[in-house]
Amino acid sequence: MAVGGPPVLVVTRLDDATADEVICELNRRRVPVVRLDPGDFPTEVSLSGTFDSIGPSGTLATGTRTLDLGNVRSVYWRRPTPYTADLAMPEQTARWTVEEARYGLGGVLAALPGAQYINHPWRNRDAEYKPASSPPRPAAASPFPRP
C-alpha cells in the first residue's frame, strides 16, 4: 500500500469516538488526515478559496493542519457540530452569520473536486427528514390503513 498520498478530510465534532477510531486506522496506514469541525468556523478554522469551472480551490486551515482543497482524496462526514456565531452578536446578525457560514464553508466542503464522500452532507441533510428519505411504496404494500 502506498504511503501518504492526498489527505482524507474527517468532518466531525471533537468528541466523536467512532471518528477517532477511523483516524487511528488511517494514521496506522500512514494516510494523511485533516480533522475539521465546521462549528469552529470562523474562529478556529479559516477558508481562503475561489470557484472556477472545476469547482472550489484554495486552502482550509485548522489550528494544526492546512488543507489544499483541490487535493482531497475523500471526505468522511460524520457528526459535526452546527455552525455557530459569536454570542456577542445581535440575534438577527448571528442567524445571518450562521446561514452564511453554512452556505459558504458548507458549500465548499460539499463540492470538493474529485473527492469521494462517505456520508455526503447533502444526503445526510436529506436523511434527517425520514418520510422524504424513504422511497414511496405502492398502496397495497403499505402497513397503514387508508382513511
Side-chain angles (χ1 to χ4, degrees):
M1 180 183 311
V3 175
V8 171
L9 176 61
V10 178
V11 182
T12 191
R13 63 186 67 229
L14 183 60
D15 61 347
D16 184 346
T18 301
D20 292 343
E21 290 295 321
V22 170
I23 291 169
C24 284
E25 181 60 23
L26 290 169
N27 285 331
R28 188 184 71 73
R29 295 179 184 202
R30 299 169 131 179
V31 173
V33 177
V34 175
R35 184 181 195 143
L36 165 74
D37 187 353
D40 292 336
F41 180 77
T43 56
E44 298 173 36
V45 173
S46 65
L47 172 68
S48 174
T50 60
F51 268 90
D52 60 21
S53 61
I54 298 172
S57 62
T59 58
L60 181 80
T62 69
T64 59
R65 302 271 194 282
T66 300
L67 178 69
D68 175 359
L69 295 174
N71 190 37
V72 177
R73 174 189 311 206
S74 56
V75 178
Y76 176 37
W77 194 278
R78 175 106 168 108
R79 291 186 174 156
T81 57
Y83 295 93
T84 59
D86 187 334
L87 295 174
M89 289 181 174
E91 184 180 344
Q92 184 175 1
T93 303
R95 279 196 314 268
W96 179 84
T97 300
V98 166
E99 288 302 303
E100 289 298 305
R102 188 168 63 88
Y103 291 131
L105 178 60
V108 168
L109 294 177
L112 296 175
Q116 298 294 313
Y117 286 82
I118 299 174
N119 304 329
H120 192 283
W122 295 344
R123 301 299 77 79
N124 277 5
R125 182 203 60 213
D126 293 346
E128 290 175 358
Y129 302 98
K130 297 304 179 191
S133 67
S134 300
R137 300 188 314 172
S142 177
F144 304 106
R146 297 222 173 214

